[in-house]
Amino acid sequence: ASSHDFINKLVCCALPVMCFIVLGFEHSIANMFYIPFAIAAGSDVTWGAFLLKNLLPVTLGNILGGMALLAGSYYLAFGKKSA
């Protein structure tokens, strides 16, 4: 059942994002904006440090975590198909 009320839709969209941020997780797409923006603004972060120490591990973590969570939730929801 989908929500027809704007407030309910807003809460359903914002709550997972807020939880993600509060738990301290990082997202590779968000980092592709924020960190180059900080570099351009004069931060002491280098491009090499950004790419090797942040973007690469965060992207791999996002891919592996997303695969595990998606596959795990599908397995829990639907179980094994009997042949």
Side-chain angles (χ1 to χ4, degrees):
S2 64
S3 174
H4 298 288
D5 184 11
F6 175 74
I7 298 298
N8 290 339
K9 289 181 181 183
L10 184 65
V11 169
C12 289
C13 290
L15 189 61
V17 173
M18 288 187 292
C19 290
F20 194 85
I21 293 168
V22 168
L23 288 169
F25 296 137
E26 294 193 35
H27 193 271
S28 57
I29 304 302
N31 290 356
M32 282 187 227
F33 170 75
Y34 288 119
I35 296 175
F37 188 78
I39 292 171
S43 176
D44 60 351
V45 177
T46 64
W47 282 102
F50 164 58
L51 293 172
L52 294 176
K53 294 182 179 179
N54 184 282
L55 193 59
L56 181 64
V58 169
T59 302
L60 292 174
N62 288 165
I63 291 169
L64 295 175
M67 286 179 0
L69 289 175
L70 186 65
S73 62
Y74 278 2
Y75 182 77
L76 290 174
F78 302 113
K80 279 185 169 180
K81 271 193 166 183
S82 48

